Amino acid sequence: MDDDGGPSSAAPLLPALLPTRRLGVLAGEARVREAAAFKAHGNAHSRNGDWHHALRNYAVALWLLRGDSAGRMPPPSLVAPGARPVAGAAALALVGAGGAPRGAAAWWRSEEARALRTACHLNGALAALELGDAALAAACAADVADDGAAAPADRRKATFRLAKARAAAGDARGAAALLRALAAAAPPPVAREARALLAALRDARAAAPPPGPPPQGGGPRGPAAAAAPRAP
């Protein structure tokens, strides 16, 4: 987790710096400041293992940092009391930087905003992995792994989390390809982690029971299917 301190273990679900109904009217650098506060609260929840609340804070931060969210209210799924855990299409829609905002866009292109987006995507990927949401973890990790402007260390971390997300989704081959690339080119600590996960994937594959025989008789994979004419 990208952790730079922040609130204590008593951090609330969402920072009480501004009423959430006013988040939609924030503009420019104020959006970046609020995003940093949400990220810090997300880190506090992560340290406590409270992954649902951590992910919600990272998601609000990403929403604030999207150019296409400027001047709009945050989705109720993010800030409404008692809202369901962040997941599914609503969460996937928050991934990325969004289109450039109308009017002044210096805040959106700033290094601070870029660094916050990177950290929240990385931390969001970690939280999603802990919650078993492989699709969201993969989307968050890929946003950083595919960003040529991101720092090499961040791209390696994102690639490792992307590999874990693919493995969790059942794509062992895709995960292994990423891990082999890390094992071959990454610095020793990352390469060791990649080799360890690669070995675990091999062990899991070796321990898996062999596939059963195809059904016999007139079923869809039996002799009747073999004798059926192919569609033109």
Side-chain angles (χ1 to χ4, degrees), residues 193-210:
E193 284 189 284
R195 285 193 292 269
L197 183 52
L198 193 56
L201 289 177
R202 291 196 197 102
D203 291 345
R205 183 176 180 181

Side-chain angles (χ1 to χ4, degrees), residues 1-70:
M1 182 188 65
D2 171 68
D3 191 349
D4 54 2
S8 69
S9 59
L13 169 58
L14 298 172
L17 303 183
L18 283 175
T20 54
R21 65 180 179 274
R22 291 180 55 194
L23 290 176
V25 300
L26 291 173
E29 294 178 359
R31 298 181 72 84
V32 180
R33 288 195 300 271
E34 286 300 302
F38 278 97
K39 169 185 168 287
H41 277 72
N43 288 352
H45 287 301
S46 294
R47 286 194 295 272
N48 293 335
D50 187 352
W51 298 108
H52 282 295
H53 287 174
L55 183 57
R56 188 176 301 281
N57 276 273
Y58 296 140
V60 177
L62 287 173
W63 178 85
L64 282 164
L65 294 168
R66 287 183 64 88
D68 53 12
S69 71

Side-chain angles (χ1 to χ4, degrees), residues 79-168:
V79 297
R84 292 183 178 183
V86 177
L92 289 171
L94 298 171
V95 175
R102 295 179 180 179
W107 68 270
W108 180 72
R109 297 190 176 94
S110 69
E111 286 301 316
E112 185 179 4
R114 174 182 288 276
L116 280 170
R117 272 191 294 267
T118 295
C120 288
H121 279 113
L122 285 171
N123 293 353
L126 176 61
L129 282 170
E130 293 288 343
L131 293 169
D133 191 337
L136 180 57
C140 286
D143 188 85
V144 180
D146 297 338
D147 182 1
D154 289 333
R155 295 185 69 187
R156 288 191 292 268
K157 184 185 294 185
T159 300
F160 185 73
R161 291 178 184 174
L162 178 58
K164 294 181 74 173
R166 288 186 176 175

